[in-house]
Structure formats: structure tokens, C-alpha cells
Amino acid sequence: MNKEQLINFEEDIANTFNSGKIKAPVHLYSGNEQEMINIFKNIDSNDWVLCTWRSHYKCLLKGVPPDILKARIVEGKSISLNFPEYKIFSSAIVTGILPISVGIGLSIKLSGGKNWVYCFVGDMTSETGSFNECYKYVVNHDLPVKFIIEDNGKSVCTDTKKTWNTNELTYFNKNDKHIYFYQYETKWPHAGAGKRVQF
Amino acid sequence: MKYFDELKRSMEMLAEHPDTIFIGQAVEYAGTAMTNTLKDIPSNKLLEMPVCEDLQMGITNGLAVDGKIPVSIFPRWNFLLLGANQIINHLDKIPLISDYKTKVIIRTSIGSQRPLHPQDQHIGDYTEAFNSMCSTVDIVRLDQPEDIFPAYVQALNRQDNKSTILVEWGDYYNEK
């Protein structure tokens, strides 16, 4: 999918949500389309993608057909989209996917596989103890896991850096075998599309 | 057969399955009463973990998502509490929020009180509490030696996409 298609999909979901046809929270992306397209150029169909509650672009770029994805979102599943046939695993619990991604990476290594696990997290999650444990385990055991930190500057509505009383995130602009950091600004609120429901 | 012997026999039965892997603290190294039940398990089946229960339980879930059958070992309920997020919010909910087929076997115990009493942070029994929090995970308390082997056979062979927590009594290693 190209940038325009990604934007159009999310706009369609926003309109559907605002019209009251989705009886569950949605978390929308915007402003990071080209970053995501570039990241997914390196992700093979047999690689794993682990997602948080904000995952529509990841699902589309991993190959989930837009009509199937939209149907699942309209069912109310936006915050925990799981597609085993596309090797997509999502959790709506902060830090939940971190050690699960490590376990999948370990399983691949034990089986002699060649695929990778791409675990997408937000900036607040990247500052947690769980992230540090998981990153350390992955690096020290050389597991096929890469953490993608997506910094939109906030956790729900909270300023991540302010809560940790720091001017710079721990993994700011880090880019190596097991970690990639990027920043973006979104036009959407944390949840919903700016109308009707505040989750 | 005695309580310990049945546990050891059960572990060796589990080890014969090609997809099982034993994960936890004191599985490769000595350190707990449970270690002795694993002493004849092939070393390539044992994965020693840092003391980091949320990480251990999350890795357990990840192994299961990719098709393994992890046997995840927590020496006491009190320690397992630190991995509760990955059990209650993830392992238990995976069948409800996805079509992933996961089968995990979790082994824990009610800490022994005889001959040494380890005090209140090491003897918890949270069987009922976890029962009330879990929608899909089965919790089985192993009260008698004859309960043990059939419970592990059921945990390994079940086809209902459910995982199992098997709860031992530390005191019964010496008493039954």
C-alpha cells in the first residue's frame, strides 16, 4: 500500500467511528506513513509483527486486505487485532508484547529459523523496566528480534519525558540491529477520531 | 509411587514430546526442590532464566504462540505473582482475542512449611484467586500422588486450546 492508501483507510475508519458504527475504541495513525512504508520494506511475509492497540497501518502493510481489516475493526477489535495467518500478534496492555516478542524470537532461534520478529512500541513503553529487560535479553542472546520505537511524544495524553524528568529518551535516535527509533506527530487524539466518544 | 516420584515421572513424560521445553529458574542449575524432578531431563530441553518472572512468563507465551509447548516453572505461588500480567492479561485471553492455538503448562507450588518455615512471603496459596481471575486457564491442585501423572497427561494432550497451571504442595515431597 502507498501513503495515500494508508491515509485514506484511516480517514475511512475515523468517519465510520464518528458516525457511531464502531462500538469500541479505535486508535488511529497519521503522520508516519512514509516511515512505516520504509520499515515494512525490510519485513518479510514470514516475519512476525507484534503490535500495540494502534496497529492499522501495520496490519495493512503486512498484507491484511483492507476489507477484512475494516470488518474486524467494525466488530470492535481495533485494539487487539490478531491475524495468525499474517503472523500479527497484538495486545492492548502496555508492555505486554515485549516479552512475547522475545519468546517468539527464542522459538525461531531454537528451531533454526531465519525469520525476524518486529515489535512496535511507543515512547513510554520504551522507558519501562520491561523494555530494558527484553532488549538486554535479545541483545545478549542475539535473538532475531527488532524493537521499533514510535515516539509521538505522549502516552495517552501524558508527556513521557516530563514524567521521567528527562530531556531525552533513553533510546532517542538509536538505530542498530535490534532497535530502531523514529518520531512523528499525529493529528488524531489518543483514542477515537475527535468526535463523540472519549474512551 | 510417592509424590516426588510421580512429579519426576511426569516431567520425563513431558520431555518425550518433541515440542516441550522446560523454562524457569533452577531448571538447569540446582536450587529448589523442583530441580531434582528434572535431573534426568536432557539438557537441551532445559532453559535457565534470569529471575525475572514477567519476562519468563512472556517468553513462555511467545514460545507457545510460535508452536512450542513450554513447561514454565515457578517455585512458589508468591514468585508467580510477578508474572501474573502475562498469565491473566495474555495467556488467559489469547483464546478470547485471537485464533492463536497456544498450550502452556505452568508448574508452581504452595511453599513447604516443614521442617523449615520460610515465613509469610513464601507459603502463599493463590489457587482460588487465580481461578477467579482466569477465564480459560485451568488451575489444578495436586493433592495426592495419584493425581499428578494423569493431570500432566491431560495438560499435555488437551485439544481445547487451554493452558494449565499445576499446583504442588511443597510439604508433600517428604510426606506423601
Side-chain angles (χ1 to χ4, degrees), chain A residues 10 25-32 36 49-59 73 77-81 88-93 97 120-123 150-157 182 184 186-192:
Chain A
E10 215 70 317
V26 296
H27 299 273
L28 304 174
Y29 268 131
S30 77
N32 64 337
M36 293 292 267
V49 170
L50 276 81
C51 315
T52 64
W53 45 91
R54 182 174 288 107
S55 64
H56 300 170
Y57 283 179
K58 294 164 209 156
C59 293
I73 294 167
K77 311 291 189 192
S78 174
I79 69 169
S80 55
L81 290 164
I88 295 170
F89 184 95
S90 300
S91 169
I93 300 292
I97 55 172
F120 290 77
V121 300
D123 43 288
E150 303 179 291
D151 176 17
N152 64 1
K154 59 189 175 185
S155 173
V156 185
C157 300
Y182 79 92
Y184 72 103
T186 179
K187 71 175 187 177
W188 302 113
H190 165 69

Side-chain angles (χ1 to χ4, degrees), chain B residues 101-168:
Chain B
K101 307 298 181 194
T102 51
K103 188 191 297 182
V104 168
I105 298 171
I106 299 171
R107 186 178 168 194
T108 192
S109 88
I110 303 158
S112 64
Q113 300 180 35
R114 298 175 293 275
L116 300 177
H117 196 295
Q119 303 302 301
D120 293 325
Q121 290 175 306
H122 283 64
I123 58 168
D125 177 7
Y126 304 120
T127 305
E128 293 308 314
F130 270 68
N131 252 325
S132 71
M133 289 189 285
C134 288
S135 303
T136 70
V137 172
D138 268 351
I139 296 110
V140 179
R141 198 157 55 195
L142 303 171
D143 292 328
Q144 302 296 334
E146 57 268 29
D147 296 340
I148 295 170
F149 194 80
Y152 274 105
V153 170
Q154 161 71 3
L156 178 65
N157 294 331
R158 65 189 315 160
Q159 298 296 319
D160 55 4
N161 197 24
K162 289 185 175 181
S163 294
T164 315
I165 301 175
L166 298 107
V167 185
E168 304 165 15

Side-chain angles (χ1 to χ4, degrees), chain A residues 61-132:
Chain A
L61 290 166
K62 192 68 171 41
V64 179
D67 57 332
I68 291 176
L69 180 59
K70 182 177 178 182
R72 196 72 70 88
I73 294 167
V74 172
E75 284 174 21
K77 311 291 189 192
S78 174
I79 69 169
S80 55
L81 290 164
N82 284 285
F83 294 95
E85 62 273 40
Y86 294 95
K87 294 194 170 182
I88 295 170
F89 184 95
S90 300
S91 169
I93 300 292
V94 175
T95 75
I97 55 172
L98 288 168
I100 296 174
S101 71
V102 180
I104 296 173
L106 178 61
S107 181
I108 291 170
K109 185 172 181 177
L110 289 171
S111 302
K114 301 295 182 194
N115 290 105
W116 275 66
V117 183
Y118 293 85
C119 179
F120 290 77
V121 300
D123 43 288
M124 183 66 92
T125 296
S126 75
E127 294 295 314
T128 62
S130 179
F131 186 91
N132 285 289

Side-chain angles (χ1 to χ4, degrees), chain B residues 6 50 73 98-99 134 173:
Chain B
E6 286 293 87
I73 297 177
S98 78
D99 294 323
C134 288
Y173 276 56

Side-chain angles (χ1 to χ4, degrees), chain B residues 62-125:
Chain B
L63 288 164
V65 166
D66 197 42
K68 303 287 191 297
I69 305 176
V71 182
S72 198
I73 297 177
F74 298 86
R76 300 172 191 272
W77 266 123
N78 300 81
F79 306 164
L80 181 61
L81 286 180
L82 289 139
N85 166 50
Q86 284 293 336
I87 296 174
I88 307 301
N89 283 327
H90 293 89
L91 179 62
D92 186 61
K93 302 303 180 289
I94 286 172
L96 305 178
I97 65 171
S98 78
D99 294 323
Y100 284 103
K101 307 298 181 194
T102 51
K103 188 191 297 182
V104 168
I105 298 171
I106 299 171
R107 186 178 168 194
T108 192
S109 88
I110 303 158
S112 64
Q113 300 180 35
R114 298 175 293 275
L116 300 177
H117 196 295
Q119 303 302 301
D120 293 325
Q121 290 175 306
H122 283 64
I123 58 168
D125 177 7

